[in-house]
Amino acid sequence: MNFKQLTYFIAVAEELHFGRAAERLDMAQPPLSRQIKQLEEELQAILFNRGRSAITLTQAGERLLERGKSILAQLDDTRLEVRRLGQGAEGRLRIGFVGSATFGILPNIIKSYRKNFPEVNLCLIPMNNAQLQRALVSRELDVAFARPALQDPEFLTKELMEEKLILALPDVVETGGRSIAKLERLQTHNLILYPEYPRPSYADFVLNACMEAGFEVPLRVWCMDLQTALSLVSVEEGVCIVPESVASAPRKGMKFLRIEPEIARTVLAVNYRLDEQGVHVQNFVRIAQKVARKVL
């Protein structure tokens, strides 16, 4: 039994008339009758009681009509589900991100994506760059927001925004009303760095920027993520060099200063696999770039 035979049977079973069923199927009556007869022979069951003036369903025919409608309905549902998955209208998207991305454009990207694709399930996972790299390689993630961009021949990278580095420091530090920090003034403060491992990481980017600016970091405090680093700043454990967007969310116990001369800029990039053909990822990256252009 195939789907065409099932469709023919359901038409006859609902019409209880071969002529009307043939019209409904836009075919001649003799081949329709032959198809039904062939189906009965294949199933080894009589499906219709054929009388002179009317036909009726046998018990076998009633059961096949019930099950056949269910099968075709499931087929239609499957077609729709697969089509929607293919169009990116539903499904799942696994997104990894560095903590600093939540202060920048990531929330707006998520909001815009949900508005356009409300039925796609989003799985959001905070990670550092090394973890993002491994997760993309092993296909545990679909998209990764990294800072700096991930370097791998298997990845495609789209830079979204470039930011200055600024200084987060305890609000009890006397700055005389200045909004600018000189790098050499950090000599007497612990510099809070994250993540401690795995390396290389954003911490190495900061250390390299300081070194290229001619500043050796003598006092270092290590932690695992940005949120912990900011908490340590707020309790006066030290200062931290962070992306400029972090200052967009005021936090009790700290303040932010520009660093002059500017030591470096950091880029937030969205990364995904070169061989990723899924429309979900393509839609997400397209929206991410659109949101980034509006910010710039």
Side-chain angles (χ1 to χ4, degrees):
M1 181 174 63
N2 55 47
F3 286 113
K4 181 180 288 187
Q5 289 175 318
L6 193 56
T7 301
Y8 291 165
F9 165 76
I10 289 175
V12 177
E14 290 181 338
E15 298 292 342
L16 290 178
H17 192 282
F18 279 89
R20 289 195 298 270
E23 288 182 17
R24 170 172 156 180
L25 295 168
D26 194 24
M27 63 185 298
Q29 181 175 332
L32 175 59
S33 298
R34 286 196 296 271
Q35 286 286 341
I36 298 300
K37 188 64 176 175
Q38 182 180 336
L39 179 60
E40 289 179 319
E41 291 174 356
E42 182 181 334
L43 296 176
Q44 298 182 13
I46 301 299
L47 302 174
F48 296 98
N49 295 311
R50 296 163 172 83
R52 289 187 177 183
S53 58
I55 63 172
T56 59
L57 285 167
T58 63
Q59 288 188 27
E62 289 176 351
R63 179 60 57 85
L64 181 58
L65 177 60
E66 176 186 344
R67 293 294 182 88
K69 283 184 174 181
S70 176
I71 290 170
L72 292 186
Q74 289 182 40
L75 179 62
D76 288 339
D77 289 345
T78 301
R79 285 196 186 105
L80 178 60
E81 288 176 14
V82 171
R83 184 180 300 118
R84 287 177 62 79
L85 284 167
Q87 295 170 344
E90 62 180 66
R92 181 189 65 173
L93 193 63
R94 301 164 300 175
I95 303 166
F97 61 94
V98 292
S100 60
T102 60
F103 292 92
I105 60 175
L106 180 57
N108 287 335
I109 292 172
I110 298 300
K111 181 179 179 181
S112 180
Y113 184 80
R114 283 206 181 280
K115 181 179 179 181
N116 287 275
F117 301 98
E119 294 186 34
V120 175
N121 293 317
L122 298 183
C123 180
L124 300 166
I125 311 167
M127 294 182 173
N128 58 46
N129 264 30
Q131 292 168 329
L132 291 171
Q133 179 113 4
R134 288 198 299 268
L136 270 186
V137 168
S138 61
R139 301 181 188 274
E140 296 171 33
L141 287 179
D142 302 305
V143 177
F145 285 87
R147 188 194 302 277
L150 302 178
Q151 302 297 323
D152 193 292
E154 295 185 16
F155 298 166
L156 280 174
T157 295
K158 306 293 183 182
E159 294 186 356
L160 298 178
M161 63 184 300
E162 184 181 73
E163 301 178 60
K164 296 178 180 179
L165 293 179
I166 62 173
L167 186 69
L169 67 164
D171 59 6
V172 297
V173 175
E174 180 55 50
T175 58
R178 295 188 305 272
S179 61
I180 297 170
K182 298 295 184 182
L183 203 57
E184 57 269 19
R185 293 179 182 270
L186 303 184
Q187 290 282 357
T188 58
H189 295 280
N190 291 331
L191 181 60
I192 300 169
L193 296 161
Y194 67 91
E196 184 175 8
Y197 61 85
R199 308 278 290 280
S201 66
Y202 175 76
D204 298 286
F205 171 73
V206 169
L207 289 172
N208 289 337
C210 291
M211 183 178 65
E212 290 176 6
F215 173 69
E216 289 293 333
V217 180
L219 306 171
R220 306 178 185 183
V221 174
W222 291 91
C223 63
M224 286 309 300
D225 54 53
L226 172 61
Q227 295 296 339
T228 304
L230 294 177
S231 296
L232 290 174
V233 171
S234 68
V235 297
E236 306 174 35
E237 182 61 32
V239 299
C240 187
I241 295 175
V242 298
E244 189 175 25
S245 58
V246 174
S248 64
R251 191 182 182 104
K252 186 177 179 180
M254 72 175 61
K255 54 187 173 183
F256 299 93
L257 298 180
R258 299 197 311 275
I259 299 173
E260 290 191 2
E262 184 178 308
I263 59 172
R265 294 196 171 206
T266 175
V267 172
L268 180 68
V270 60
N271 308 262
Y272 56 103
R273 292 184 59 89
L274 187 64
D275 58 0
E276 176 57 66
Q277 301 297 318
V279 70
H280 295 85
V281 170
Q282 305 303 324
N283 287 340
F284 186 84
V285 172
R286 175 176 52 81
I287 287 175
Q289 291 179 295
K290 183 177 179 180
V291 171
R293 285 193 295 268
K294 287 182 179 180
V295 171
L296 298 175

